[in-house]
Amino acid sequence: MSAAERIGIKYAEPVRKTIHRLEKRYDMTNPRDEHAVRRSLFLVRNGQVKVVAYQPNEHKITFTIRDAHTIQGHYFPLQDQFECECGTEGGCRHELVMALMLYQYQMSLSQWMKDFKAKTPPLELPVNDRTPDSWKAIVEYHTYAFLRKVNWYDMYHMPILFRELKERIARSRPFEREWLPMYHFYTTLLMISIIWKSLPEDNPYSARNLLEEELFSLNAELDSLQSSSKLFAFDPFLADIRLMVRELALLEGFNAGQRRVFYTNYLLTLLPSKKDMEEELQIVLASKTEQAVLLHATIAVIVKDEAAYLQALQSVRLDLLESWLSFADFVAQSPSDHLLEPLLRKMMPFLANYLTNSTSTWHRNTVVNDIYQLYAQIDLTETEWEQLFFHFGEHGLRPYSQFLLERGRYKEWVSLHHVHNSSINFAESCGLSRVMQEAPSELLPFYHFLAMKEVAARSRANYTQAVRIWKKMKTAAKKAGQVDFWQDYLTEIQTQYKRLRALQEEIQKGSLTK
């Protein structure tokens, strides 16, 4: 009995468990996987694999494998772990080679290959087999095989594997044209649901991106599915779709807003009857997840149940504020837009904390502007407006500027930008041109303040910018009928800074004296 045979018999049970684990990695309907398995068998049968060392204390078996290049690998049977010099991430075929080298001493490799191929379920559906169970078998088989192989952090190979997954599922699509929309929608939704529930806790960006794209595409297919869902044979599929859409919306984690929008569009498109909506409301209320209350509020808005809606608003809190803000957009666009006011009033106390701790600095201005657009649709008292802009902080300068302009409070607008030391470009983005048209005289002190900042910098580039600002000031003075003031002002500037030759040259070049 050879040393390799004695080791194979000694570790028979751990080797058997390793083989069963590795079998799940390979999909024999995939030509690439089938080639890897056949190549592994070829290497073992042709003596290209040798046991070269065994360390019983560490339960470590060392192999040499003559593949394209001779490499060395290590197998730890009790830990079911491998180390291989090839460096392939996520497991390589050499692991199967090492395991089969020892497994051949307890079972014929030909018989193993036969049994392994027999485990692969038939994936081609009979022409007339149109049942949810059949389609689930196809999707689950391919999707779980994909999840066993995928490395979500491999930005190159992961999209290729995902594309192959979709292609494999698509091969079993029905021939009849009327079934195609249902098959694509049902199988894609099931695939998304399985993957979503199987993601790592850190939700890799690559996975999020793919799932977002797929869900966006499904959203666009709802209308076409509605127009094709008239066959009675579709009823069991529609029942499954209803369950999957709800489960997807109730999941915690990333993209809750997009999943809720998908759920909402599904309700409006494929579940239009009030009876079905009320039944859905009771099912959602029985759920204990954090997202359930938002779905509860969504259905209440659709069926115009104000009592249920106000009950849901009692659950507004900081950690779900982003979801509530997304929901507020839906309410604002609904026929029951009067329901927006109680929601926004419930959210107001949490805004400052949300903006500070839950939004990135570079994105905060956009978030603040979106929130302002929502609050602009309801009636607030002056005190409430002041409270809202206090919550916005410095990121609320642009919406506060818009608020002041809409009420003709131009002097306050100028004071706001003066106090916050706004640049000329930022002030222009906040409506300076409107103040120029409506109250040009209010801008004269502001322009002077901006020009003096440039002069104080003491460089020709700053002097050039100061002259540009003075040109705007000159225009404002003319509009305000204060031409004499302008002339006196410019004379005073030239006198005060007569020693700054570069500044005097820029003033002459800019034709300010004409």
Side-chain angles (χ1 to χ4, degrees), residues 279-433:
E279 179 184 334
E280 187 71 15
L281 179 60
Q282 296 306 314
I283 296 173
V284 168
L285 285 173
S287 173
K288 302 302 181 182
T289 67
E290 291 184 343
Q291 293 299 323
V293 67
L294 283 146
L295 304 189
H296 169 197
T298 299
I299 299 172
V301 171
I302 295 173
V303 301
K304 301 180 180 179
D305 187 342
E306 292 194 23
Y309 174 77
L310 294 176
Q311 178 188 350
L313 295 192
Q314 302 306 311
S315 299
V316 173
R317 62 179 193 269
L318 177 62
D319 57 333
L320 287 177
L321 202 66
E322 184 173 358
S323 296
W324 283 109
L325 284 168
S326 173
F327 173 70
D329 288 325
F330 164 70
V331 178
Q333 297 169 20
S334 73
S336 305
D337 55 354
H338 65 283
L339 297 176
L340 182 62
E341 184 168 339
L343 171 59
L344 295 183
R345 292 185 185 280
K346 278 285 186 182
M347 291 194 299
M348 189 180 291
F350 305 108
L351 290 177
N353 202 327
Y354 166 72
L355 291 170
T356 303
N357 300 314
S358 302
T359 60
S360 58
T361 304
W362 64 271
H363 190 53
R364 199 167 296 159
N365 284 331
T366 303
V367 175
V368 165
N369 189 62
D370 292 343
I371 294 174
Y372 171 73
Q373 297 302 326
L374 285 171
Y375 278 88
Q377 300 178 54
I378 67 173
D379 294 325
L380 295 178
T381 65
E382 286 297 314
T383 302
E384 288 171 329
W385 278 117
E386 289 177 7
Q387 182 183 3
L388 179 64
F389 291 121
F390 177 77
H391 291 324
F392 287 166
E394 63 179 8
H395 296 279
L397 282 179
R398 188 172 277 111
Y400 191 31
S401 299
Q402 181 180 341
F403 172 80
L404 294 174
L405 291 178
E406 290 171 351
R407 286 154 179 77
R409 293 157 60 173
Y410 305 114
K411 188 172 183 177
E412 293 178 52
W413 184 97
V414 172
S415 299
L416 175 70
H417 288 277
H418 200 148
V419 168
H420 286 276
N421 203 16
S422 298
S423 67
I424 185 70
N425 292 332
F426 181 73
E428 287 176 345
S429 72
C430 291
L432 184 145
S433 59

Side-chain angles (χ1 to χ4, degrees), residues 2 69 72-74 97 161 175 231 237 269 301 325 354 396 402 423 431 451 481-482 495 503:
S2 67
H69 303 282
Q72 193 170 82
H74 308 284
V97 170
L161 291 174
F175 297 109
L231 298 177
F237 295 96
T269 306
V301 171
L325 284 168
Y354 166 72
Q402 181 180 341
S423 67
Q482 300 187 36
T495 302
L503 176 60

